[in-house]
Amino acid sequence: VLDRLGGIAGRLGSSVDPSRSAVVLGADHLIFDGDGPVQFFCCLYRAPALTHAQFSDTWLHQLVEHTTKTPGKSAYRQVHADKDLTTRAARAAGVAIDDIDGVALEWYPDVARLWAASDWANQPGAPIVQAEIQLIDFSRVQAILTHTPLPR
């Protein structure tokens, strides 16, 4: 993989801003399988008080107790960054961001269910919010929202 990433940012030219682009390589954890045309991919950074290992362990074994209850979510995966491989991959690709701790990948059947999930998570006193605040540095989170129609 590292060999194939060599200089990709430069080859993509002006369509990529290397200073704002990232690479993440690591363990892919299937939480529950499925699909959906609406994809929400969130690049996560650990809270400053945590090590990368603490972040990964808590995310996979504790926060998942809340995230698997998100209404409307049709699939969920976690990519836990391998810090060394990610750093090497970012250098090879020619991109600047190499310190993401993990990527949450979520799929929804439609935008309405994504908004319902967001409303659920943002209820005052919601347990998921309290758990996430202890785990994630929200000042650095980066997200991607896409819609890709499923083949018929």
mmCIF file of all heavy atoms in Angstrom, residues 22 38-43 103-106 114 141-147:
data_model
loop_
_atom_site.group_PDB
_atom_site.id
_atom_site.type_symbol
_atom_site.label_atom_id
_atom_site.label_comp_id
_atom_site.label_asym_id
_atom_site.label_seq_id
_atom_site.Cartn_x
_atom_site.Cartn_y
_atom_site.Cartn_z
ATOM 1 N N ALA A 22 -5.531 14.044 4.456
ATOM 2 C CA ALA A 22 -5.099 13.061 5.446
ATOM 3 C C ALA A 22 -5.053 11.668 4.851
ATOM 4 O O ALA A 22 -5.701 11.377 3.843
ATOM 5 C CB ALA A 22 -6.061 13.064 6.628
ATOM 6 N N VAL A 38 -26.415 7.113 2.177
ATOM 7 C CA VAL A 38 -25.870 8.257 2.905
ATOM 8 C C VAL A 38 -24.727 7.753 3.790
ATOM 9 O O VAL A 38 -24.915 6.868 4.619
ATOM 10 C CB VAL A 38 -26.949 8.951 3.765
ATOM 11 C CG1 VAL A 38 -26.354 10.091 4.574
ATOM 12 C CG2 VAL A 38 -28.084 9.451 2.868
ATOM 13 N N GLN A 39 -23.540 8.301 3.551
ATOM 14 C CA GLN A 39 -22.355 7.903 4.321
ATOM 15 C C GLN A 39 -21.836 9.094 5.097
ATOM 16 O O GLN A 39 -21.690 10.181 4.539
ATOM 17 C CB GLN A 39 -21.234 7.385 3.401
ATOM 18 C CG GLN A 39 -21.595 6.195 2.564
ATOM 19 C CD GLN A 39 -21.973 6.569 1.146
ATOM 20 O OE1 GLN A 39 -21.468 7.503 0.566
ATOM 21 N NE2 GLN A 39 -22.902 5.821 0.585
ATOM 22 N N PHE A 40 -21.557 8.844 6.376
ATOM 23 C CA PHE A 40 -20.994 9.865 7.247
ATOM 24 C C PHE A 40 -19.691 9.301 7.795
ATOM 25 O O PHE A 40 -19.708 8.304 8.528
ATOM 26 C CB PHE A 40 -21.977 10.191 8.382
ATOM 27 C CG PHE A 40 -21.474 11.250 9.323
ATOM 28 C CD1 PHE A 40 -21.305 12.558 8.902
ATOM 29 C CD2 PHE A 40 -21.183 10.942 10.637
ATOM 30 C CE1 PHE A 40 -20.857 13.537 9.773
ATOM 31 C CE2 PHE A 40 -20.734 11.911 11.508
ATOM 32 C CZ PHE A 40 -20.569 13.213 11.083
ATOM 33 N N PHE A 41 -18.579 9.874 7.383
ATOM 34 C CA PHE A 41 -17.257 9.413 7.798
ATOM 35 C C PHE A 41 -16.640 10.523 8.640
ATOM 36 O O PHE A 41 -16.539 11.659 8.191
ATOM 37 C CB PHE A 41 -16.371 9.103 6.601
ATOM 38 C CG PHE A 41 -16.906 8.018 5.694
ATOM 39 C CD1 PHE A 41 -16.415 7.876 4.426
ATOM 40 C CD2 PHE A 41 -17.893 7.140 6.107
ATOM 41 C CE1 PHE A 41 -16.884 6.874 3.572
ATOM 42 C CE2 PHE A 41 -18.375 6.143 5.272
ATOM 43 C CZ PHE A 41 -17.866 6.013 4.002
ATOM 44 N N CYS A 42 -16.250 10.188 9.846
ATOM 45 C CA CYS A 42 -15.787 11.190 10.793
ATOM 46 C C CYS A 42 -14.376 10.859 11.274
ATOM 47 O O CYS A 42 -14.150 9.801 11.869
ATOM 48 C CB CYS A 42 -16.765 11.230 11.968
ATOM 49 S SG CYS A 42 -16.579 12.663 12.996
ATOM 50 N N CYS A 43 -13.428 11.745 10.986
ATOM 51 C CA CYS A 43 -12.045 11.592 11.436
ATOM 52 C C CYS A 43 -11.950 12.092 12.871
ATOM 53 O O CYS A 43 -12.272 13.248 13.149
ATOM 54 C CB CYS A 43 -11.108 12.391 10.538
ATOM 55 S SG CYS A 43 -11.118 11.848 8.828
ATOM 56 N N VAL A 103 -11.238 6.614 12.400
ATOM 57 C CA VAL A 103 -12.300 7.090 11.516
ATOM 58 C C VAL A 103 -13.555 6.271 11.794
ATOM 59 O O VAL A 103 -13.522 5.040 11.724
ATOM 60 C CB VAL A 103 -11.903 6.971 10.027
ATOM 61 C CG1 VAL A 103 -13.019 7.532 9.133
ATOM 62 C CG2 VAL A 103 -10.583 7.674 9.750
ATOM 63 N N ALA A 104 -14.635 6.975 12.143
ATOM 64 C CA ALA A 104 -15.941 6.342 12.291
ATOM 65 C C ALA A 104 -16.624 6.383 10.933
ATOM 66 O O ALA A 104 -16.711 7.449 10.318
ATOM 67 C CB ALA A 104 -16.766 7.083 13.334
ATOM 68 N N LEU A 105 -17.069 5.239 10.469
ATOM 69 C CA LEU A 105 -17.747 5.148 9.176
ATOM 70 C C LEU A 105 -19.166 4.666 9.431
ATOM 71 O O LEU A 105 -19.370 3.564 9.950
ATOM 72 C CB LEU A 105 -17.015 4.174 8.251
ATOM 73 C CG LEU A 105 -15.549 4.513 7.997
ATOM 74 C CD1 LEU A 105 -14.653 3.633 8.843
ATOM 75 C CD2 LEU A 105 -15.226 4.365 6.553
ATOM 76 N N GLU A 106 -20.133 5.505 9.091
ATOM 77 C CA GLU A 106 -21.536 5.199 9.353
ATOM 78 C C GLU A 106 -22.332 5.317 8.057
ATOM 79 O O GLU A 106 -22.072 6.206 7.248
ATOM 80 C CB GLU A 106 -22.110 6.169 10.386
ATOM 81 C CG GLU A 106 -21.366 6.169 11.701
ATOM 82 C CD GLU A 106 -21.904 7.193 12.692
ATOM 83 O OE1 GLU A 106 -22.830 7.963 12.351
ATOM 84 O OE2 GLU A 106 -21.396 7.213 13.827
ATOM 85 N N LEU A 114 -30.394 10.138 9.102
ATOM 86 C CA LEU A 114 -29.173 10.759 9.618
ATOM 87 C C LEU A 114 -29.533 11.900 10.561
ATOM 88 O O LEU A 114 -28.967 12.022 11.644
ATOM 89 C CB LEU A 114 -28.292 11.267 8.474
ATOM 90 C CG LEU A 114 -27.095 12.117 8.886
ATOM 91 C CD1 LEU A 114 -26.092 11.307 9.709
ATOM 92 C CD2 LEU A 114 -26.420 12.712 7.661
ATOM 93 N N VAL A 141 -12.179 17.504 15.073
ATOM 94 C CA VAL A 141 -12.904 16.525 14.264
ATOM 95 C C VAL A 141 -13.111 17.047 12.845
ATOM 96 O O VAL A 141 -13.395 18.219 12.640
ATOM 97 C CB VAL A 141 -14.258 16.181 14.922
ATOM 98 C CG1 VAL A 141 -15.175 15.443 13.969
ATOM 99 C CG2 VAL A 141 -14.043 15.361 16.185
ATOM 100 N N GLN A 142 -12.965 16.139 11.879
ATOM 101 C CA GLN A 142 -13.229 16.447 10.471
ATOM 102 C C GLN A 142 -14.197 15.396 9.960
ATOM 103 O O GLN A 142 -14.050 14.214 10.277
ATOM 104 C CB GLN A 142 -11.939 16.395 9.662
ATOM 105 C CG GLN A 142 -10.894 17.367 10.149
ATOM 106 C CD GLN A 142 -9.514 17.038 9.618
ATOM 107 O OE1 GLN A 142 -9.245 15.942 9.165
ATOM 108 N NE2 GLN A 142 -8.625 18.009 9.687
ATOM 109 N N ALA A 143 -15.186 15.822 9.188
ATOM 110 C CA ALA A 143 -16.199 14.874 8.723
ATOM 111 C C ALA A 143 -16.438 15.014 7.227
ATOM 112 O O ALA A 143 -16.212 16.074 6.640
ATOM 113 C CB ALA A 143 -17.499 15.088 9.482
ATOM 114 N N ILE A 144 -16.903 13.920 6.657
ATOM 115 C CA ILE A 144 -17.259 13.859 5.246
ATOM 116 C C ILE A 144 -18.665 13.269 5.180
ATOM 117 O O ILE A 144 -18.936 12.232 5.789
ATOM 118 C CB ILE A 144 -16.295 12.952 4.455
ATOM 119 C CG1 ILE A 144 -14.858 13.449 4.577
ATOM 120 C CG2 ILE A 144 -16.732 12.839 2.996
ATOM 121 C CD1 ILE A 144 -13.838 12.425 4.156
ATOM 122 N N LEU A 145 -19.552 13.924 4.466
ATOM 123 C CA LEU A 145 -20.908 13.425 4.254
ATOM 124 C C LEU A 145 -21.098 13.256 2.756
ATOM 125 O O LEU A 145 -20.888 14.190 1.993
ATOM 126 C CB LEU A 145 -21.938 14.416 4.824
ATOM 127 C CG LEU A 145 -23.401 14.051 4.673
ATOM 128 C CD1 LEU A 145 -23.724 12.752 5.405
ATOM 129 C CD2 LEU A 145 -24.272 15.191 5.188
ATOM 130 N N THR A 146 -21.463 12.052 2.360
ATOM 131 C CA THR A 146 -21.667 11.788 0.932
ATOM 132 C C THR A 146 -22.994 11.088 0.729
ATOM 133 O O THR A 146 -23.556 10.490 1.648
ATOM 134 C CB THR A 146 -20.553 10.898 0.335
ATOM 135 O OG1 THR A 146 -20.619 9.593 0.904
ATOM 136 C CG2 THR A 146 -19.179 11.488 0.584
ATOM 137 N N HIS A 147 -23.485 11.162 -0.488
ATOM 138 C CA HIS A 147 -24.669 10.413 -0.888
ATOM 139 C C HIS A 147 -24.334 9.694 -2.179
ATOM 140 O O HIS A 147 -23.992 10.320 -3.184
ATOM 141 C CB HIS A 147 -25.868 11.349 -1.105
ATOM 142 C CG HIS A 147 -27.098 10.603 -1.469
ATOM 143 N ND1 HIS A 147 -27.432 10.303 -2.761
ATOM 144 C CD2 HIS A 147 -28.079 10.078 -0.690
ATOM 145 C CE1 HIS A 147 -28.569 9.627 -2.795
ATOM 146 N NE2 HIS A 147 -28.983 9.484 -1.555
#
